Amino acid sequence: MTETKKSNLTVVAGILLCLLIGAAMAIAGSDGGLIVGNIPLFALCAMVGFVLHWLIFVPSYFAQTEHYFDLTGALSFIGAILLANWSALATLGASSLRANILSFMVLAWALRLGVFLFLRVKRSGEDRRFREIKTRFLRFLFTWTLGGLWVLLTAAAALAAITSGRHIPMGLGAYIGGALWLAGFLFESIADRQKSAFKAKHENKDRFIDTGLWAISRHPNYFGEICLWLGVAIVAAPALQGWQILTLISPLFVIFLLCRVSGIPLLEARAQERWGDDPDYQRYVKTTPVLIPGIRTPRLSAE
């Protein structure tokens, strides 16, 4: 068997694994939840991300562009949450305060980040992660399928709580979760804005940012992202029942993805390659926490 065939088989196996994980999460999140047309509402919402990613994959492959990948992710979150909220409202005749708050949390995050990432890739002209991937059909399809799974696993706790149909009164924990979400949302938004403003200045070309929130964390946007999804999970938790508890993997998945897979390790390696010989950058690495302000976590970095 040639290396190409082996590679293709591996990619196909990866796609099937994504679908199996998605199916397992759909089953768990549907436990005790609302039913619409004999189909669990959570399962319908779980399909949104996959379907949208596959639909946009087709023209994206033929156009050899990744410009709409992040935007598709944002639209998938928005579509899944709106479907969950409106269907729950139509089924129950009323929506709970918890469901409305969770819907707002996810929608606000998706709208802001989706627009930000879309405009960023339009300005830069490309996302370097896709240079080779987009030229190979199966690998590109796998990436878009992975995008659908990312939407499901990230939003699972919120979707399960919205579609559970349980109207649990808001307690102190929910307000703590809401405050954590707000802090994370602001932290991420401000960090993204500061970096965009920094890179927009001609004198900062080929320089690394070490000002604003970036002076207290090398990845403050990721810190905010983790905080806001932890907040979502805290708000959602009381409304979950049975196997739906497994959807609380959402913030853990976000942490794993950002700290071990495509987030910090990739960016740290890229920064080390670019500025590794710069004494100022080495000083920055030694004095600035990689993620949590005030806490050194060297195992997350490429030091």
Side-chain angles (χ1 to χ4, degrees), residues 280-300:
D280 290 335
Y281 178 73
Q282 289 303 320
R283 190 179 306 111
Y284 174 67
V285 168
K286 291 178 180 179
T287 58
T288 309
V290 65
L291 181 66
I292 306 174
I295 299 179
R296 297 284 294 167
T297 50
R299 288 187 298 171
L300 296 180

